[in-house]
Amino acid sequence: MTPTTSAAGTAPKTYAWEIHASGLRVRVGRRKTAVDGLDLSLGIGTHGLLGPNGAGKTTLIRTLATVLRPTEGELEMLGTRVGAMVDHRSLRRQIGYLPQEFGYYKRFTVREFVEYMAWLKEVPKADVPAAVQRAVERVGLADRADHRMKTLSGGMVRRAGIAQAIVNDPAVLLLDEPTVGLDPAQRLRFRELLQELGRDTCVVVSTHLVEDVAAACSDVVLLAEGRLVFQGTPDDLAAAGGPEHPGDSPLERGYSALLQGCEQPGGTW
Amino acid sequence: MSGEHASRRLLDDYARGDATMAADTVWALEAHLETCAPCRSHLAAGVATGAPGIATLLDTVRDALEPQLDAAVPAPSRRHRPRWVAAWLTPAMAPWLAMTVVVTLMALLLDAVAPPTFSGDTSPVSAIAPLLPLCGVAASWSRGLDPAHELTASTARAGLPLLLRRTTAVLVVVLPGLLVGGWLTGTMTAAQWLLPSLAFTSTALALGSVVGVTRAATGLALAWGVVVAPAWVTGHLPVVLRLVLQPDRLPVWGLLLALGTGAVIARRNAYSTL
């Protein structure tokens, strides 16, 4: 039996927002400032991160995952300041992260891989087998748990990636393009999982697919050129567009209406 | 303790499936039963006597299942990778460690067959010994070589402790090889290669906190290579190298080791976001 509550779970929160950024700048390489003065507050719920290519979605998610250091500005996660020369250990224990292109050891089985990630995330040793089994079952890979990673299809690898992200029951879950490679049925199942996770977790999902946002997200964050363009519910996004804007659905029209002022750096296509 | 256990009457009612029991009583009883073995055995006895219908139903199910369970083939036991291996080594490091071992053997071979005048009074093993751990260390925390680097970098264990674990694993593989080599050739004392290897390793880790471990290890290896390479071409060691590898230069290596270790400790938090 897994405990449904714990002392940590019922303790009062000492922060207003799970993720709070003000004036956040992140430089990638020498010149490019991928996130450029971002003010953002995210609480419990599923937040869809939308934006054109090169808008800084991946950089933002990598910064939230504490892989990249903020260059300037403030970033507070779960009440802890994120920055250089700070011990991120206790914060990282509560983060789940699925990178856009995630590497893995091909010879590991799914179970070994998720177990290894649970060990890296300092899940208490006694809880590891149960946590791994639960995570693997939640993504529907229980029958493949003892197969090697290299024998899995692309969609299954992605699901194994989602399993490792949720194995430590994170308070902040960061998913970068999680629906790439999933077939339509798996996408539906994944949206259900997202809604379920968003009830007690701050989930940030970056995606290109506007319909994913409509179906699974309680909140939309629209980025362009490293800045926040819009934050609100999917209905607000739909309301921003009119019939004169390009797009096949109200959300797509709202998306193009809000991005009209921002020229795409990669040329027009 | 008897006050904390469920009463027999309550258990009997529960076993009979009494629908008039209050819902909160049922919840409390079930929560208690989950953690209390004595009460569960009382309940089992209560089911046998108070609810023969349930007992016979269970027996029927068991009878029907047993042949199927006996016929089921147990899953073939897979060779399970011991968990502690992954805690110290990543699969990405294995080929680099293998290469290090091969290089050590080659150096020993050279040492055995090379004419004594080939490199003066310093054996080839002691010339390359400082470099040997660096190959493994470079692979231990590398964005390019380790496919799971991005995942690992965001986890709680990422940082100095994990890096030190992997470095230790490298040293555990490399040092015994050198130890045996030194003992076989008998030409060099343990301190002559041990201190330089450790000094190079700690310097690589210290520089790694600034420029990245792989870059630091590669840079050091290249720098050492530039110093040593003339020896292989001209057949005699440069004066500098001969000087630093003299047994009486050990305090210098010791100082370098201490400095490197100190720098690593001072910058211990910088490793968590490499």
Side-chain angles (χ1 to χ4, degrees), chain B residues 180-209:
Chain B
V180 171
W183 175 68
L184 279 181
T185 55
T187 50
M188 32 170 213
T189 57
Q192 215 174 333
W193 54 262
L194 183 65
L195 267 182
S197 330
L198 291 179
F200 261 73
T201 310
S202 73
T203 314
L205 293 186
L207 289 179
S209 74

Side-chain angles (χ1 to χ4, degrees), chain A residues 76-97:
Chain A
E76 224 174 72
M77 292 179 67
L78 304 172
T80 314
R81 264 206 75 176
V82 177
M85 300 301 274
V86 179
D87 193 9
H88 294 122
R89 216 169 167 143
S90 60
L91 170 63
R92 281 177 171 170
R93 258 180 237 141
Q94 305 178 65
I95 293 182
Y97 170 46

Side-chain angles (χ1 to χ4, degrees), chain A residues 179 182-196 211-212 215-216:
Chain A
T179 49
L182 298 186
D183 67 34
Q186 290 166 354
R187 279 237 301 278
L188 290 180
R189 178 69 202 92
F190 175 68
R191 288 176 191 166
E192 276 170 34
L193 180 62
L194 272 189
Q195 285 166 346
E196 200 181 302
E211 64 265 38
D212 277 347

Side-chain angles (χ1 to χ4, degrees), chain B residues 240-267:
Chain B
V240 190
L241 195 61
R242 202 180 308 229
L243 276 180
V244 295
L245 287 176
Q246 287 299 313
D248 56 336
R249 297 292 151 168
L250 293 181
V252 179
W253 290 110
L255 185 68
L256 193 59
L257 173 60
L259 280 178
T261 315
V264 169
I265 294 171
R267 292 188 53 83

Side-chain angles (χ1 to χ4, degrees), chain A residues 4 10 21 32 51 73 87 94 116-117 129-130 139 181 191 201 212-213 215:
Chain A
T4 48
T10 52
K32 174 130 173 57
D87 193 9
Q94 305 178 65
Y116 179 56
M117 291 310 296
V139 298
R191 288 176 191 166
T201 313
D212 277 347
V213 171

Side-chain angles (χ1 to χ4, degrees), chain A residues 124-225:
Chain A
K125 204 173 177 186
D127 303 345
V128 167
V132 168
Q133 185 62 31
R134 207 153 10 109
V136 168
E137 275 172 12
R138 275 183 112 170
V139 298
L141 277 180
D143 55 332
R144 294 293 190 124
D146 291 318
H147 289 224
R148 287 185 197 279
M149 293 289 286
K150 64 178 170 192
T151 64
L152 301 186
S153 70
M156 287 179 187
V157 167
R158 211 96 291 256
R159 275 145 72 199
I162 298 166
Q164 68 77 24
I166 60 177
V167 71
N168 54 335
D169 286 325
V172 173
L173 180 59
L174 308 160
L175 306 168
D176 200 353
E177 304 276 355
T179 49
V180 173
L182 298 186
D183 67 34
Q186 290 166 354
R187 279 237 301 278
L188 290 180
R189 178 69 202 92
F190 175 68
R191 288 176 191 166
E192 276 170 34
L193 180 62
L194 272 189
Q195 285 166 346
E196 200 181 302
L197 290 165
R199 268 176 225 143
D200 56 354
T201 313
C202 173
V203 187
V204 183
V205 196
S206 110
T207 179
H208 279 115
L209 301 169
V210 181
E211 64 265 38
D212 277 347
V213 171
C217 297
S218 55
D219 191 27
V220 184
V221 175
L222 188 54
L223 290 186
E225 293 170 42

Side-chain angles (χ1 to χ4, degrees), chain B residues 229-242:
Chain B
W232 302 93
V233 182
T234 61
H236 58 84
L237 280 183
V239 186
V240 190
L241 195 61
R242 202 180 308 229

Side-chain angles (χ1 to χ4, degrees), chain A residues 1 92 97 105 112 119, chain B residues 34 81 146 150 157 272-273:
Chain A
M1 191 190 81
R92 281 177 171 170
Y97 170 46
Y105 303 122
E112 278 169 346
W119 177 80
Chain B
E34 275 180 4
R81 191 176 284 106
D146 187 354
E150 177 83 10
R157 275 189 207 270
S272 67
T273 47

